[in-house]
Amino acid sequence: MAEGVRIAPLGERALIVAYEGGIDPVTHRKVLELARSLEEQPFPGFQEAVPSYASVAVYYDPVAAGKADQSEKPGRTARGVQAKVAEWLTERVHSGAATGSGPRAGCTFEIPVCYCSECGPDLPYVAERNRLTPEEVVRIHTSRPYTVYMIGFMPGFPYLGGMSGRISAPRLPTPRPRVPAGSVGIAGTQTGIYPFASPGGWRLIGRSTLPLFRPDQAPPSLLAAGDAVRFLPAAHPDGSEGL
């Protein structure tokens, strides 16, 4: 196993490759490099690589992987196949994912957001908690680009890193039963966007009308891990001004 990397089972058809180092751009680049390497040059039975903050979940077909492994007799156990897949992944990590072309070149997306107490009912709370005005919260939130570290929770939901700790806020003690689609939220020092109406516990500070998940397009998710997002203040969906 490569130093600073842990490979562990994730059920019977997947393994997780976890990097030490926490949530930071250097670790995330390693995550994206491995995912890209596996997609470009997959091992036998490979199905999908799902990157997150500091790990990659690797899904595979155990039957196809077992047939491709000529080092063992036919009929080897699922555990034996998983051990072989772990060996393949260890070799790939040791190579520094050099068999791939590096992470996908990320795109930058500008996302218009209406920041107001109607679209962002927790905006006053975030401001008061951090001893700021709502206008200052918006200015800080829109002052920098954010990295899409992963897509999860629901299709198209981007977990964005790089938010200033000056506007951090804890999740709600009890999640809302319905968060409107397009809502922009804060949870700790993360920020994200709800692509659909759903339950949710993040602190809502605004709302966008830009569709993040388009099932009739390929890929359906507008954003992908490695992309960058910039938020732009925008008018209320009804045409009135925000802050």
Side-chain angles (χ1 to χ4, degrees), residues 54-101:
S55 64
V56 183
V58 182
Y59 295 86
Y60 64 91
D61 177 351
V63 175
K67 288 180 178 179
D69 179 16
Q70 301 300 317
S71 65
E72 294 286 342
K73 296 179 181 180
R76 71 184 305 186
T77 65
R79 182 174 296 181
V81 173
Q82 191 165 69
K84 185 60 182 180
V85 173
E87 182 182 323
W88 287 333
L89 289 174
T90 300
E91 292 172 356
R92 187 66 60 90
V93 171
H94 268 300
S95 71
T99 54
S101 59

Side-chain angles (χ1 to χ4, degrees), residues 121-193:
D122 297 314
L123 180 58
Y125 167 83
V126 173
E128 182 177 359
R129 181 182 187 277
N130 291 289
R131 299 181 180 180
L132 299 167
T133 65
E135 290 80 6
E136 288 172 324
V137 172
V138 174
R139 192 155 52 246
I140 293 169
H141 193 254
T142 58
S143 67
R144 59 177 66 184
Y146 297 90
T147 298
V148 180
Y149 274 95
M150 59 180 285
I151 302 294
F153 170 51
M154 67 175 72
F157 186 103
Y159 285 82
L160 307 175
M163 192 186 78
S164 171
R166 294 176 61 198
I167 56 173
S168 67
R171 290 174 169 82
L172 293 167
T174 302
R176 291 182 172 89
R178 186 181 184 279
V179 172
S183 292
V184 177
I186 287 174
T189 56
Q190 299 177 112
T191 187
I193 314 165

Side-chain angles (χ1 to χ4, degrees), residues 106-121:
C107 300
T108 298
F109 293 86
E110 294 184 340
I111 297 184
V113 177
C114 174
Y115 296 94
C116 68
S117 57
E118 180 184 345
C119 293

